Amino acid sequence: MTTQYYTATTIDGYIADEDNSLDWLFEVDDGGDANPFGDFFAEVGAFAMGSTTYEWVLAHENAVEEPEKWLSPYGDTPAWIFTHRELPRIPGANINFVRGEVAPVHEAMTTAAGDKNVWLVGGGELVGSFADAGLLDEIILGVAPATLGAGAPVLPRRLTSKRLSLTSVSRLGQFANLRYAVGPPVA
C-alpha cells in the first residue's frame, strides 16, 4: 500500500489559478487514449481531498444533481473530504466528511483501501499535512506547458532532495510525468 499524491501542475508549480480555476489544464493535449488515470485509479482503494477541491467538483461537474459525474470515475471507492464547513453530499457516493489531524484519517483510509493505494487528490496544503506527518510515500506530477504566475501551489512545503528521489520520467502528450519517492521527515 502506497499513499500517493497524483496531480497536474504548471511549469511554475501551481495546481489552480488564484480563482481556483483549472481552465489552464483543460487546454493541454494529454495524449488522448493514452491517459494513465484509469490504470492509476484501478489501484486506488481510498482517496482524500480538501474542501476546495470537493467544491470545485460540485460546481464544475454538477455532481449533486448529476451524481454519475462522480460515480462514473470513482464508483464506490471511499472518499474522505477534509472540511470545516457543512458541504452537500453527492447522492450514492461513499463520502466521509472529516476534520482535524490527518493521522487517524490516514489509518481509516489504509484500512478501507486494503491492499490498494491511498490517493491524495489535493489540494497542496492537505497533502502537505500528510507529508509533515510522514504519511506521503509518492508524488506523481503531470507537468503541463503552462504558467500561472500565482495560485494554489502544488505543495506549499519545503521538501528537499533529502526526502525526494526521482523514480521515473515519461511523456504523455504535452505533459512531462514525474514520479518521486518521498522519504520520512528529516529530523
Side-chain angles (χ1 to χ4, degrees), residues 1 7 66 92 101 123 145:
M1 195 284 305
T7 193
E66 300 177 63
E101 298 296 319

Side-chain angles (χ1 to χ4, degrees), residues 8 11 14 17 48 86 98 106 118 123 139 173:
I11 291 170
Y14 295 102
D17 71 15
E86 292 293 321
V98 295
H106 185 261
V118 170
I139 298 171

Side-chain angles (χ1 to χ4, degrees), residues 22-75:
L22 300 178
D23 290 346
W24 63 271
L25 177 60
F26 301 112
E27 296 173 3
V28 183
D29 173 20
D30 66 1
D33 293 336
N35 189 316
F37 180 78
D39 291 338
F40 168 81
F41 196 75
E43 298 300 317
V44 171
F47 62 103
M49 66 179 66
S51 59
T52 300
T53 303
Y54 182 72
E55 289 175 308
W56 185 91
V57 171
L58 293 177
H60 291 79
E61 297 294 332
N62 197 26
V64 172
E65 289 78 22
E66 300 177 63
E68 65 277 3
K69 299 266 182 101
W70 176 279
L71 298 171
S72 177
Y74 306 132

Side-chain angles (χ1 to χ4, degrees), residues 76-184:
D76 64 354
T77 304
W80 278 259
I81 312 301
F82 283 80
T83 183
H84 295 289
R85 310 183 294 284
E86 292 293 321
L87 295 172
R89 181 175 297 277
I90 298 170
N94 188 352
I95 294 175
N96 304 280
F97 292 104
V98 295
R99 63 183 65 181
E101 298 296 319
V102 298
V105 175
H106 185 261
E107 186 176 331
M109 292 173 67
T110 57
T111 298
D115 61 350
K116 291 190 169 190
N117 297 328
V118 170
W119 174 31
L120 305 177
V121 181
E125 183 60 39
L126 176 63
V127 175
S129 296
F130 279 86
D132 293 347
L135 300 172
L136 177 61
D137 302 310
E138 184 176 41
I139 298 171
I140 306 167
L141 298 175
V143 182
T147 61
L148 298 177
V154 68
L155 191 59
R157 294 290 189 280
R158 183 179 177 97
L159 297 180
T160 67
S161 60
K162 290 180 180 175
R163 284 192 71 188
L164 300 174
S165 176
L166 183 66
T167 60
S168 74
V169 177
S170 62
R171 179 180 177 177
L172 181 64
Q174 289 296 306
F175 286 90
N177 292 314
L178 310 173
R179 290 179 92 114
Y180 293 90
V182 181

